[in-house]
Amino acid sequence: SVEPASATAPAELVFTLQTNNATSSIRLLTENGDTIYTTAFASPKDGGREWKVTAKLDEPYTGDVRVFLRDGVGKWSAGEITCKVDVR
């Protein structure tokens, strides 16, 4: 999930994600593959991890944000999660 899903740039969005314990890092990308710069931290929850990922969008962006997960050996893979955002 993301809060707020709609905002005016510059905007700070907080994504909350659940992963397994093997996930060591999270990366957010736009539909065009551009990296969204973030800070993230994880806490143990329900046998996995709950991530709070804060993204600052200085420019308007409307569309899906794609989630990529890094495992313990450093391999990145596309997550099944996307979040729609509307930053005007």
Side-chain angles (χ1 to χ4, degrees):
S1 66
V2 61
E3 290 294 328
S6 181
T8 302
E12 186 173 280
L13 307 178
V14 178
F15 295 81
T16 302
L17 307 162
Q18 302 286 329
T19 69
N20 61 27
N21 282 321
T23 301
S24 63
S25 187
I26 291 181
R27 180 183 290 164
L28 303 180
L29 279 75
T30 66
E31 292 174 334
N32 295 330
D34 297 323
T35 298
I36 298 172
Y37 295 98
T38 63
T39 57
F41 70 90
S43 302
K45 183 170 183 182
D46 299 331
R49 294 182 179 180
E50 179 178 80
W51 291 83
K52 296 287 186 181
V53 183
T54 302
K56 182 155 188 198
L57 287 112
D58 292 324
E59 303 293 327
Y61 174 73
T62 297
D64 286 335
V65 172
R66 299 182 301 150
V67 177
F68 286 78
L69 311 172
R70 185 170 67 185
D71 64 19
V73 296
K75 180 183 174 193
W76 288 97
S77 60
E80 298 176 13
I81 304 164
T82 60
C83 290
K84 187 165 287 303
V85 298
D86 180 19
V87 178
R88 296 174 295 266

